[in-house]
Structures are given as structure tokens and as C-alpha cells.
Amino acid sequence: MKSKRVRTDVLEIAYEEHGPADGPAVILLHGFPYDVRAFDEVAPPLAEAGNRVLVPYLRGYGPTRFLSADTPRSGEQAALGHDLLQLMDALGIRRAALAGYDWGGRAACIVAALWPERVRCLASCTGYNIQNIAASVEPVSAAQEHRFWYQYYFHTERGRAGLTKNRRDICRLLWQLWSPEWRFDDATFERSAASFDNSDFVDVVIQSYRHRYGYAPGDTALLGIEARLAEQPRISVPTINLHGGHDGVGPAPASDRQAAFFSGPYERRLLPGIGHNVPQEAPGATVDALQDLMKGAAP
């Protein structure tokens, strides 16, 4: 594994690279509040199979940095998709297999939906992760509203202050609530929690959770992408939806409600006992999904 950095239009993205430089590209994308350590048991077997595996730190995490103080610290969905596309361009990657969950799954879904020619296949935890911001004002069940407590907390200045002061406490609680069967230890949490010390972490997170409800403006440079995402574009690339059976923030419904968003080959795989952090809790299932997809999708 090598730690590297590459510059895009607005970021210096830090990433880890495994495997041969000339192998078929696979990009693994973490979510909130996690980091690249979620793929520590996923990247090596994929690299051993001959793939070039890239695991980037998202904006606001770890060593990834903004190039300019003037760039909005946006965590909106268009920014995440834009960053992934720019990463691929900067590294000369014409086409890649993508896998991600939470924020990273959103970035992967966006690139797969808007630039399908760049995506070989997609493993997306919980399926279609593109937000429908126009519909965000519609209330959901009381139980689901309760699961979203942290989002509403972040809509307030008290929440911003809380995340600034207590980021480890909040993020550790979310790990526990979202993955109730996962018995991670202090060392495992701390290896990822170091990424939350990024000076932009709080601003990016707060903007992300406010923007998705229409409570904060987005980056004007990304309005075109957001307009396309508002149309809820379908995803045509071969996709496997990995859904943890014990996901504490997005429980898996008995019947699949995601299939309508996919126009290409699509399969849902439920993972009993697994929570929200699928790659770290079920690395074998994640590797299997990617390898199954890549068998049927040429580089």
C-alpha cells in the first residue's frame, strides 16, 4: 500500500493505492463518519487479484485539503460526485469499478448516473444514494425521524458547536447506533477518528446535512450538477446493492424499493447481522460483490 496525493481543480486529495499501477481500476469510497480504514480488509484481496485499488479520503477528512480558502466548504452531493470525477481525471483513469457507502456511495452513484461511460460497475451500500432534495420536506415515520436526530442537531448552531467540541463522542455514538451488532474496539475507532481532526471536517459536515434539506445554499459552481441530480437519474451500469440487515440508520425493507432506480443489471444482497459500515463489518461480502460484478463487466 502506498499513500499518495493528487491535485484536482479544488482539492489536494490524499489516497491510498494498492496493487499494480497498470491493473483495472477499482475505487473504494468511505462515508460519514468513517474513513479509508473501512476498506483495510477489502483493498488487499482486490489488489492481489491484479486490480489497481484506490481508497481516497473525502473532502473534509484526513489529509485531504482544499487548495484555496475561497472555495466553499460544501459537503453537498454534487461536490462529492464532482470530486470523484475529478480524481479519475487527474489520475488518467478512463473507467473504474466503484464501491461505496453513505457519502462515498452517494459519490459513486452520482458518477454512475451522470457519467456511466466512466463506470465499469457499481457496488453501492443501501442502493440508490442520490438525494431527492425537493422531497426532503416530506416527513417520514416517527421511528425514522428518530434515527435522523443527528441531522436535525446539525441544522442548529448548537449542533455545530457540539460537533466541534465533541466530534469523537458524537461519531462514536453514531457507529454504535448504526451498527448495533459490530463490536469494534477503541483502537479501531481511533484509527478512523484521526481523520475527523481535519480543519474542514465540521464545516463540510454541517453544510452537507443542511444543504440536503434546503437549509443551506450550495456551491454555485456545482449548480449544474445539482440540477441534473434533481431529476433523479437512473443508473444503467451493472450494480449490486449491499444492504446490512441490521443497519441502524437505514433499515433494509422487506421488499426492495430501490430496483426502479436502476435500468441495468441490478441485484440486492441482504447481509444479516451487518450494520451501516458494510465494508468494515463484512469485507468478504464486499470483495465478493465487486469480483462478481467485474467478471461480467470488461475493464
Side-chain angles (χ1 to χ4, degrees):
M1 183 270 290
K2 298 178 181 177
S3 296
K4 297 185 176 183
R5 286 173 170 78
V6 66
R7 289 196 169 198
T8 66
D9 57 341
V10 297
L11 296 174
E12 180 177 79
I13 298 178
Y15 66 99
E16 295 180 354
E17 183 169 346
H18 307 249
D22 59 351
V26 179
I27 304 177
L28 309 175
L29 298 143
H30 71 84
F32 165 85
Y34 308 93
D35 82 335
V36 300
R37 300 277 67 81
F39 294 100
D40 279 352
E41 295 182 56
V42 175
L46 292 172
E48 289 166 9
N51 298 292
R52 179 190 184 191
V53 184
L54 309 172
V55 193
Y57 290 85
L58 300 187
R59 55 170 58 198
Y61 293 80
T64 290
R65 293 290 183 270
F66 287 88
L67 299 178
S68 171
D70 296 330
T71 303
R73 271 39 178 179
S74 174
E76 66 189 279
Q77 59 179 352
L80 303 177
H82 172 83
D83 290 347
L84 174 55
L85 187 67
Q86 290 288 309
L87 173 70
M88 294 175 67
D89 286 347
L91 294 175
I93 296 172
R94 184 182 63 84
R95 199 160 176 255
L98 304 179
Y101 68 108
D102 198 89
W103 287 23
R106 186 159 299 117
C109 283
I110 289 168
V111 174
L114 300 186
W115 299 280
E117 71 279 2
R118 305 297 297 274
V119 180
R120 179 181 178 187
C121 54
L122 170 67
S124 175
C125 301
T126 72
Y128 190 81
N129 284 298
I130 298 175
Q131 295 158 349
N132 187 343
I133 295 174
S136 67
V137 296
E138 293 296 325
V140 291
S141 70
Q144 189 59 46
E145 297 282 18
H146 180 258
R147 296 184 189 102
F148 287 159
W149 69 269
Y150 66 101
Q151 301 188 18
Y152 308 143
Y153 182 52
F154 293 159
H155 295 168
T156 69
E157 287 308 295
R158 180 184 176 96
R160 179 190 292 275
L163 186 62
T164 301
K165 182 179 180 180
N166 302 315
R167 68 190 72 188
R168 276 171 168 73
D169 189 27
I170 292 170
C171 293
R172 187 184 182 103
L173 176 61
L174 294 178
W175 279 35
Q176 294 167 338
L177 294 174
W178 295 356
S179 299
E181 306 300 321
W182 184 31
R183 300 294 179 256
F184 60 88
D185 57 22
D186 291 344
T188 298
F189 176 74
E190 282 301 323
R191 280 194 290 272
S192 287
S195 284
F196 314 152
D197 293 329
N198 183 304
S199 60
D200 297 307
F201 176 77
V202 171
D203 286 343
V204 170
V205 170
I206 294 298
Q207 198 278 344
S208 173
Y209 286 102
R210 293 182 182 182
H211 181 271
R212 67 183 64 191
Y213 287 90
Y215 298 149
D219 183 343
T220 56
L222 302 171
L223 288 175
I225 297 177
E226 286 291 355
R228 295 177 68 187
L229 298 177
E231 298 174 358
Q232 296 287 275
R234 292 200 293 174
I235 293 173
S236 61
V237 306
T239 300
I240 291 178
N241 168 6
L242 292 171
H243 205 142
H246 286 73
D247 189 323
V249 67
S255 59
D256 188 4
R257 302 171 187 169
Q258 298 286 309
F261 291 104
F262 297 89
S263 60
Y266 168 81
E267 175 188 352
R268 181 174 77 152
R269 296 182 181 180
L270 290 178
L271 306 175
I274 302 302
H276 192 62
N277 186 4
V278 170
Q280 202 160 1
E281 297 178 65
T286 305
V287 171
D288 288 346
L290 275 165
Q291 289 181 331
D292 289 347
L293 285 165
M294 289 188 288
K295 288 176 185 174

